[in-house]
Amino acid sequence: MTYLYHEHSWPQLREVAKQKPVCVIPCGTTEQHGPHLPLATDFITASMISERAVQRVEPNALLLPTVCYGFNEHHMDFPGTIAIPGTDFINYTANVGLSLARHGFDKILYVNGHGSNRAFLEIAAREVCNKSDAFAGVVSWWSLIPNELLSTVLTSEVPGGVSHACEMETSAMLYLRPDLVDMSKAERELGFRPGKYMWRDLRKASPLVFNEQWSRFSRTGVQGDPTLATIEKGRILVDTVIENLAGLILELKEREISPRVDHH
Ligand SMILES: [Zn+2]
């Protein structure tokens, strides 16, 4: 029995759905990641991490095809970026989840590889919860790394050093797809000047939530220090994420969904 949703025939899928595996949907983007990383970075990390976690817990989970485009208008000044408007992205991803609910699946997990997708996927997951009997949620892969581990493994300045095509993301790619990383082109760039209430860092969000066109503050498309990236850092971080994602999937699988009560 395969863990790949799309490799089943429909009669097979009907039987698989009866076992109620957790449906894992990797979501990324196609966008600039500086001169040293490929455009596919966000969907490569989301899909490879998701696949390895699903392999660990099968048959408790099914892996859906990856959503390779996301919300990233703010990167359009850099060639290669494919930008999907926010409402389109919400509707598209919500309908993936809602379709799964109509086939009988009751746990849906969006695994996000692109920071700016998160807010939209959160709404998509809520749409699934509100419009079906399924439970849906979203997790960005880096949020599965404990803070203590982040601060011991990563040495980039805080805040602002871990943001985009940075030490963390480049390390993850060195571990997962070293053939696509050109470290000779990696360049440290910290063009966004942090303030007291606003900064860009995946380790800890600033109080102010914002995003602007990246060409306003970044020349290379990088915000962070990819020159500090290593395969070993990637291995430690990514393997931790895979372990915790597998744990999250099993927790979702076990979780009971209580019936609604209409108190009118
Ligand atoms: Zn990225």
Side-chain angles (χ1 to χ4, degrees):
M1 191 64 82
T2 176
Y3 60 85
L4 296 172
Y5 177 92
H6 45 287
E7 291 195 356
H8 290 287
S9 65
W10 73 257
Q12 285 172 337
L13 198 276
R14 180 175 56 190
E15 298 311 305
V16 169
K18 289 176 183 163
Q19 305 306 314
K20 309 258 189 230
V22 177
C23 292
V24 176
I25 310 167
C27 298
T29 53
T30 300
E31 71 179 28
Q32 73 84 8
H33 271 78
H36 66 293
L37 290 177
L39 302 169
T41 295
D42 289 347
F43 73 78
I44 287 175
T45 50
S47 59
M48 288 185 75
I49 286 168
S50 296
E51 179 157 15
R52 291 184 188 184
V54 168
Q55 284 170 337
R56 281 203 195 184
V57 300
E58 63 171 322
N60 290 298
L62 270 185
L63 183 70
L64 273 286
T66 299
V67 175
C68 295
Y69 305 112
F71 179 83
N72 51 10
E73 178 65 33
H74 48 285
H75 286 297
M76 279 301 277
D77 287 338
F78 297 89
T81 301
I82 305 284
I84 304 298
T87 47
D88 292 343
F89 183 67
I90 292 168
N91 288 330
Y92 185 91
T93 49
N95 279 296
V96 175
L98 287 166
S99 298
L100 292 167
R102 287 170 66 183
H103 299 314
F105 296 99
D106 65 354
K107 306 283 172 49
I108 290 142
L109 176 61
Y110 297 93
V111 177
N112 180 35
H114 170 56
S116 288
N117 280 351
R118 201 196 57 83
F120 301 94
L121 286 172
E122 193 179 322
I123 299 173
R126 290 187 187 200
E127 288 279 299
V128 174
C129 290
N130 290 337
K131 292 181 175 167
S132 76
D133 287 329
F135 179 94
V138 52
V139 65
S140 297
W141 64 259
W142 52 90
S143 68
L144 290 166
I145 307 168
N147 283 340
E148 319 82 73
L149 189 64
L150 277 177
S151 50
T152 35
V153 173
L154 301 176
T155 53
S156 298
E157 43 269 83
V158 187
V162 174
S163 176
H164 183 72
C166 56
E167 181 187 8
M168 181 171 74
E169 208 167 23
T170 305
S171 296
M173 283 296 281
L174 279 172
Y175 178 50
L176 292 168
R177 287 295 304 270
D179 55 312
L180 295 178
V181 184
D182 185 350
M183 285 304 280
S184 72
K185 294 195 168 70
E187 210 179 307
R188 177 182 186 273
E189 190 180 2
L190 292 162
F192 189 85
R193 197 168 34 82
K196 187 177 175 190
Y197 303 104
M198 55 191 294
W199 59 83
R200 314 195 57 89
D201 205 294
L202 292 170
R203 290 168 293 189
K204 188 177 188 300
S206 73
L208 183 74
V209 178
F210 65 97
N211 216 332
E212 62 181 333
Q213 289 290 343
W214 275 56
S215 62
R216 295 188 192 281
F217 60 87
S218 181
R219 178 182 49 82
T220 59
V222 171
Q223 170 70 20
D225 192 353
T227 65
L228 298 171
T230 66
I231 294 178
E232 181 59 9
K233 289 176 183 176
R235 186 188 65 75
I236 294 168
L237 297 177
V238 169
D239 282 353
T240 301
V241 172
I242 292 165
E243 187 182 331
N244 286 326
L245 182 56
L248 168 60
I249 291 168
L250 292 177
E251 186 174 316
L252 277 174
K253 177 77 174 79
E254 296 305 315
R255 195 170 183 84
E256 297 245 343
I257 304 174
S258 301
R260 290 176 70 170
V261 179
D262 189 343
H263 290 286
H264 286 94

